[in-house]
Amino acid sequence: MPRILITGGAGFVGYHLARRLLEDATNDVVLVDNLSRGTLDTELSRLLLNERVQFFQLDLTNPESFTRMGSDF
């Protein structure tokens, strides 16, 4: 299964891109966002219920964030 990383995953473009990619049952999606512009809204919270979606609240300008995500990327 392809595993797709989307940075800015809680934003408008990231959210809609994730929804589109999940239409293909072979895709897994990893969303990364620091939520600096807000919080998880209802739509995104519903998306995160999908077992093929992983979410990390991280700031990728901090090198430690990559350690927290793991080495699978």
Side-chain angles (χ1 to χ4, degrees):
M1 260 193 234
R3 191 168 178 207
I4 302 160
L5 174 66
I6 300 173
T7 59
F12 180 83
V13 173
Y15 166 77
H16 287 283
L17 177 59
R19 279 189 48 204
R20 173 63 181 96
L21 291 168
L22 289 167
E23 290 176 8
D24 182 337
T26 65
N27 290 333
D28 287 341
V29 174
V30 178
L31 303 174
V32 178
D33 201 295
N34 64 3
L35 298 179
S36 63
R37 298 192 68 190
T39 60
L40 296 177
D41 63 15
T42 305
E43 296 295 320
L44 183 59
S45 295
R46 266 191 230 129
L47 184 71
L48 298 180
L49 294 175
N50 187 319
E51 63 186 24
R52 295 184 294 126
V53 176
Q54 235 182 326
F55 177 76
F56 292 96
Q57 183 177 348
L58 299 171
D59 181 353
L60 294 180
T61 63
N62 180 347
E64 291 178 17
S65 295
F66 294 94
T67 302
R68 290 182 53 202
M69 282 181 14
S71 60
D72 294 339
F73 298 98

